[in-house]
Amino acid sequence: MTAKSCISIYERYVEFLQKGSIVVSFLFIVFVTVFMLVFFGILLWKPTLLQSIFLLKSKSILFRRIAAGVICFLPIYLFIFHRWNEPYHAQPIRIFLYVSAIILSAWVLSHENRVTMGALVSASLCFSVLFALCSQFRDVNNYPFSVGWSEGNRMWDYSVLFGKKLYDWPQDQTIPAYIDVGRQSLWGVIFLLPRVSIAMMRGWNDFLFTLPYALLGWILLRKTEGLNQKYHFAAGLWAMLFLIQGPIYTPLILAAVLVAIGRRFSAVPAILLTFLAGYYAVMSRSTWVAAPAAFAVMLAFIEQRRSYDLHPGKRWLRSVLVGFAGLSGAVCFLKKDSVMNFLHKIAEFGTIIAQGSQDSIEAVSQTAAGNAPAMLSPEWFQYFLTRQPLLWNRLWPNETYQPGILLGLLMAILPLTIILIVWTIQKKWNLDTWQRLLLIIGQSAFLGVGILISVKIGGGSNLHNLDMFLLGLLIIAALAWEAGMGRWLAENIRAEKWISLFVIAAILLPVFQDAMHIEPKKYPAAETTMDAVEKIQQSVAAHADGEILFMDQRQMLTFGLVPKVSLIADYEKKWMMDEAMADNGQFFQPYIEDLKSHRFDLIISEPLWIKFQGEGLDFSEENDLFVKWVSIPTLCYYEPQETFLDQGVQILVPRSQVLQQEGVVCP
């Protein structure tokens, strides 16, 4: 790899060298390469030369940890934040720098004058955690436009539950938003603060996609006898890395946290917590209806640390009770109207949060569900499976998700699966037939549902729809950890056994793909961005007396980046995209009529084009349906006044004449 790195360095700088020009970035990478080669050589053949440095570092464990963290951070900073990312972009250079940092930090962490396996595991964990956090939080800034396809509109979704006052909208009426109340309330709670900025919203989003994962890991992979506390801490950080491969939406993580906390208590608290987990999970996503119940049953039926384990009847009873509680919580939410009416008869309750939650539930039922059948009814399953097409090719390598769902999932779970299998064979995990059957059936169901949702149009770009399967595997790992796998792993790492290599793979693989391609976030020049903001502000101010549709970039309304105008909640881009993927022409009829009548004085959108991609490109099927149902109707009756390609925004005004273009039939 060092040789390949040197070849890549030469290829990158050969033109400069032939001209006799030596640039600073070239001198730097040459220095680092030579330094690391000298260090590796001394470490392998003459480690006594490092004895004085070894004695210095061995005096303070705090110094070793800080130094190791800094060493791991340097290549991460280079590739995520520094402009020299570009000349070092080649994968051999990346791998050389990453591996060099990990090995050097492992030597710094080691109690010996060599690289021990335990230190290498610790250094790998330090590198992966730092990389995951830096890559996640690198977007915390006040850039005013969306970063990603729907970021701005999602901020608007989050805000309308607790931030209704931000909009020109009747305050006694619900603002319909195309989002479930579970996610809306969790992400939107930040809008209870008086002044929220875009940077604060992005930081809160990044927090929710990282640290709750570690919290679940620390609760599940709890400290066991014979293991130092540091192993428990490291296990929680590894859980964050494992789950971030989804990434998994935080409401399901919090539901699993409730279930995991419940198993620490007697039956009654466990039942109540599992009930809440079931209620909250289905409030967030219909496909999670049975997830908390299944998690609770897995934990109650298999764990080997409780007194009731000694009596099979008590194990069965607790499992049935917590499973029933989880399903009851889901049913309670699904029958929320009847429950709410009953509670209203008992007492009057109308606090801001309770009312806001009920408003959001009603909004979701009126928008997202539309005319859908009752959830979990036979008609609902048919509706769910047939409403939008299934793209089975996304199981295999494709342009939307390079490895494909199946290979991507295999990469995500293979090291952990091998560790579980080897431990089970060597130490004989004493599971009876019913316990094994429960794990097989549960994980098979989670896998089947996850794959089915992943191949629905609009999905398949990552592993987040396999969330229940990944969480189920983490729970199995936690149960094995408590049954002795934790001590077994610690012993193998200390003895430098080959299984440690799979531990390192389980730590590094979750960040490997991103580490090979990540680069600093690139934003348009501040001057052109401010120009775009000012022109949008001027256009909105000039048409403030009319109706202005923010199909996209609704965060500009949320954070006061444009003058306050009457909110048009309909025709939001994500909602329209979902209906377009269902090829639902009936949904778009009111929109087309509004376009024909020039209802809107102004439309703020992403740049719209009439261009069909065909098959085989990144989200090409979704693009073509969006063009059919949104771009063509809009551009038939509205024309771009200003288009800011770098910022991804367009200002559209009514056309004086209907679009005449070859191959385009205006509705």
Side-chain angles (χ1 to χ4, degrees):
M1 188 53 62
T2 303
K4 287 186 177 181
S5 176
C6 292
I7 293 171
S8 296
I9 293 170
Y10 175 77
E11 290 174 345
R12 176 62 181 82
Y13 289 98
V14 62
E15 292 185 11
F16 294 95
L17 296 174
Q18 289 175 346
K19 296 177 182 178
S21 176
I22 304 296
V23 295
V24 177
S25 61
F26 172 74
L27 294 177
F28 174 79
I29 193 63
V30 169
F31 169 78
V32 170
T33 302
V34 172
F35 174 84
M36 292 309 305
L37 286 177
V38 170
F39 170 76
F40 290 148
I42 293 174
L43 198 61
L44 287 171
W45 292 295
K46 199 70 173 176
T48 54
L49 295 178
L50 300 172
Q51 190 65 27
S52 57
I53 303 176
F54 166 71
L55 293 175
L56 178 64
K57 75 180 179 70
S58 63
K59 291 181 180 180
S60 172
I61 188 171
L62 179 62
F63 169 78
R64 293 207 307 270
R65 290 173 177 174
I66 293 175
V70 171
I71 293 169
C72 285
F73 177 72
L74 289 175
I76 295 171
Y77 174 80
L78 173 67
F79 288 110
I80 295 181
F81 300 108
H82 201 276
R83 60 187 176 86
W84 283 357
N85 168 282
E86 188 277 327
Y88 307 148
H89 185 73
Q91 289 192 0
I93 302 176
R94 285 176 179 261
I95 294 175
F96 174 76
L97 292 177
Y98 290 148
V99 173
S100 296
I102 291 172
I103 294 177
L104 181 58
S105 62
W107 179 79
V108 170
L109 285 172
S110 178
H111 294 282
E112 305 175 36
N113 192 12
R114 64 187 184 91
V115 176
T116 63
M117 190 61 73
L120 198 58
V121 170
S122 298
S124 299
L125 183 64
C126 177
F127 173 84
S128 290
V129 169
L130 285 174
F131 182 90
L133 293 176
C134 289
S135 62
Q136 185 67 42
F137 282 87
R138 64 185 173 136
D139 64 348
V140 179
N141 56 56
N142 278 312
Y143 178 70
F145 295 106
S146 291
V147 179
W149 186 77
S150 61
E151 186 207 29
N153 279 21
R154 290 194 183 280
M155 292 182 185
W156 177 82
D157 288 340
Y158 303 146
S159 72
V160 300
L161 178 57
F162 300 122
K164 192 188 298 184
K165 63 181 181 297
L166 298 171
Y167 306 102
D168 185 358
W169 185 270
Q171 295 299 293
D172 60 341
Q173 296 180 20
T174 299
I175 301 178
Y178 194 65
I179 189 173
D180 55 77
V181 67
R183 280 186 295 160
Q184 187 182 44
S185 58
L186 180 59
W187 267 264
V189 70
I190 193 172
F191 287 96
L192 292 173
L193 298 176
R195 295 179 64 87
V196 180
S197 66
I198 295 180
M200 291 170 63
M201 182 68 247
R202 286 175 174 145
W204 177 237
N205 176 73
D206 295 336
F207 171 84
L208 290 177
F209 272 118
T210 49
L211 296 186
Y213 299 171
L215 174 64
L216 176 61
W218 287 321
I219 294 173
L220 275 177
L221 296 155
R222 55 193 180 187
K223 185 179 179 181
T224 58
E225 295 180 5
L227 273 184
N228 190 293
Q229 182 67 30
K230 67 180 182 180
Y231 290 103
H232 171 246
F233 180 74
L237 294 177
W238 168 80
M240 180 183 73
L241 297 172
F242 181 74
L243 296 176
I244 213 169
Q245 295 177 102
I248 299 176
Y249 282 127
T250 313
L252 185 60
I253 298 293
L254 297 183
V257 166
L258 291 174
V259 171
I261 293 174
R263 72 176 179 136
R264 295 171 178 260
F265 297 99
S266 59
V268 174
I271 289 170
L272 292 176
L273 288 169
T274 308
F275 177 89
L276 290 175
Y279 188 95
Y280 181 62
V282 79
M283 180 192 295
S284 304
R285 199 174 189 188
S286 61
T287 52
W288 296 341
V289 61
F295 297 157
V297 170
M298 289 171 65
L299 290 169
F301 199 66
I302 297 175
E303 68 174 338
Q304 301 176 5
R305 292 172 54 91
R306 302 295 296 261
S307 60
Y308 58 76
D309 293 333
L310 302 176
H311 195 291
K314 291 183 179 180
R315 181 196 298 273
W316 276 89
L317 178 61
R318 184 179 174 102
S319 301
V320 170
L321 289 176
V322 293
F324 180 77
L327 293 176
S328 298
V331 171
C332 185
F333 175 79
L334 298 178
K335 301 294 183 182
K336 59 186 177 299
D337 293 334
S338 300
V339 174
M340 294 299 289
N341 289 335
F342 174 74
L343 292 177
H344 274 296
K345 292 178 182 179
I346 297 175
E348 292 293 328
F349 64 104
T351 62
I352 294 175
I353 295 178
Q355 183 60 51
S357 298
Q358 179 62 14
D359 286 347
S360 180
I361 291 170
E362 293 170 357
V364 172
S365 65
Q366 293 168 4
T367 59
N371 297 319
M375 193 180 297
L376 301 183
S377 65
E379 294 78 13
W380 180 85
F381 282 105
Q382 182 180 4
Y383 172 85
F384 177 79
L385 293 173
T386 61
R387 179 173 178 262
Q388 294 175 335
L390 304 178
L391 306 176
W392 294 101
N393 63 303
R394 292 195 178 167
L395 292 177
W396 324 113
N398 60 87
E399 288 300 319
T400 300
Y401 181 45
Q402 292 294 331
I405 294 298
L406 294 182
L407 181 58
L409 179 63
L410 181 63
M411 292 172 58
I413 69 172
L414 186 60
L416 175 58
T417 303
I418 291 175
I419 291 171
L420 286 169
I421 292 173
V422 172
W423 175 72
T424 302
I425 293 173
Q426 289 190 4
K427 296 298 181 179
K428 302 296 183 184
W429 192 10
N430 295 320
L431 299 179
D432 61 34
T433 302
W434 288 107
Q435 290 172 325
R436 294 177 187 275
L437 188 62
L438 173 66
L439 294 183
I440 292 172
I441 293 176
Q443 286 298 90
S444 297
F446 287 156
L447 180 62
V449 171
I451 288 177
L452 185 63
I453 301 173
S454 294
V455 299
K456 288 190 71 175
I457 189 171
S461 62
N462 55 30
L463 300 178
H464 86 271
N465 287 314
L466 288 145
D467 42 22
M468 295 183 291
F469 178 80
L470 292 173
L471 269 175
L473 190 56
L474 178 64
I475 288 174
I476 293 173
L479 292 167
W481 174 274
E482 293 178 358
M485 191 178 75
R487 292 190 299 274
W488 175 77
L489 281 174
E491 292 167 0
N492 276 272
I493 290 173
R494 285 194 291 265
E496 304 195 350
K497 297 292 183 63
W498 61 270
I499 197 66
S500 302
L501 298 177
F502 287 99
V503 175
I504 293 173
I507 292 170
L508 292 177
L509 275 181
V511 302
F512 176 77
Q513 289 294 328
D514 284 344
M516 290 299 98
H517 301 96
I518 201 165
E519 58 185 25
K521 284 273 189 181
K522 293 176 180 167
Y523 297 94
E527 296 78 10
T528 61
T529 298
M530 286 308 301
D531 180 59
V533 171
E534 290 173 359
K535 288 183 177 177
I536 293 173
Q537 290 172 339
Q538 293 167 3
S539 297
V540 170
H543 298 86
D545 294 334
E547 292 194 87
I548 301 174
L549 171 63
F550 278 78
M551 185 192 305
D552 195 19
Q553 305 293 344
R554 290 193 176 187
Q555 81 285 352
M556 301 191 78
L557 295 169
T558 304
F559 299 103
L561 298 174
V562 293
K564 201 168 186 177
V565 294
S566 297
L567 172 65
I568 299 175
D570 296 332
Y571 310 135
E572 188 272 323
K573 183 177 74 171
K574 292 187 284 68
W575 188 2
M576 297 176 81
M577 179 78 255
D578 194 60
E579 296 295 341
M581 291 188 299
D583 217 9
N584 185 4
Q586 182 179 358
F587 171 86
F588 290 97
Q589 286 308 308
Y591 178 64
I592 293 171
E593 294 302 320
D594 285 339
L595 294 174
K596 288 181 178 179
S597 65
H598 288 169
R599 171 189 170 186
F600 312 114
D601 294 293
L602 212 63
I603 296 177
I604 308 298
S605 173
E606 67 175 8
L608 298 179
W609 316 97
I610 300 178
K611 182 178 180 181
F612 293 97
Q613 294 182 348
E615 297 181 358
L617 299 178
D618 186 14
F619 282 118
S620 55
E621 292 86 353
E622 291 85 348
N623 169 81
D624 291 353
L625 286 169
F626 191 80
V627 169
K628 173 183 176 181
W629 289 113
V630 180
S631 299
I632 288 178
T634 304
L635 294 176
C636 277
Y637 302 101
Y638 282 73
E639 61 183 348
Q641 182 186 65
E642 295 276 359
T643 299
F644 306 97
L645 289 178
D646 291 340
Q647 289 75 22
V649 64
Q650 190 173 65
I651 305 172
L652 297 124
V653 295
R655 287 183 181 272
S656 57
Q657 294 182 342
V658 178
L659 176 69
Q660 301 292 326
Q661 181 174 319
E662 184 179 354
V664 175
V665 178
C666 290

